[in-house]
Amino acid sequence: GPRLGYNIWFTPGSLGLWPQLGFLYQSQSQSPGGKDGPTLSRQTIELNLPILIHPVKHFHFGVGPFVDLDLAAKASFNGNSVDGPKDTVFGIKGEIAGWL
């Protein structure tokens, strides 16, 4: 899904904060033996707040908290649809990235 963010420099070129907001849509279905199986779908908003360290230009690594909040969850099987459990997940996430 789409994600937006902006790097806020603490020390230009070496240390910054990169808040990110995203929207995710997930859908999964199964067809065992060619028959229609269950379909699960979920819409989630995510918020990431990593602190980034840029040891060299065009490369960073970061770590920070994240929260994923389900807005909707649905399960359907044989034409019947029910609301699924909505999850809230939070923790610490790390990343390593480089670009040209």
Side-chain angles (χ1 to χ4, degrees), residues 19-57:
Q20 304 166 42
L21 179 65
F23 176 77
L24 303 173
Y25 175 78
Q26 304 170 29
S27 179
Q28 110 184 42
S29 61
Q30 297 177 353
S31 299
K35 298 179 182 178
D36 286 342
T39 299
L40 308 169
S41 64
R42 182 178 307 257
Q43 294 85 37
T44 305
I45 285 189
E46 66 173 3
L47 175 64
N48 298 323
L49 200 60
I51 292 177
L52 302 182
I53 298 171
H54 298 259
V56 295
K57 192 174 183 178

Side-chain angles (χ1 to χ4, degrees), residues 32-95:
K35 298 179 182 178
D36 286 342
T39 299
L40 308 169
S41 64
R42 182 178 307 257
Q43 294 85 37
T44 305
I45 285 189
E46 66 173 3
L47 175 64
N48 298 323
L49 200 60
I51 292 177
L52 302 182
I53 298 171
H54 298 259
V56 295
K57 192 174 183 178
H58 297 285
F59 177 80
H60 74 255
F61 58 91
V63 66
F66 76 92
V67 174
D68 291 347
L69 176 65
D70 286 346
L71 301 175
K74 206 168 270 280
S76 61
F77 185 70
N78 289 336
N80 298 321
S81 182
V82 296
D83 288 336
K86 295 178 189 165
D87 296 329
T88 300
V89 180
F90 57 92
I92 302 292
K93 190 183 285 188
E95 68 177 72

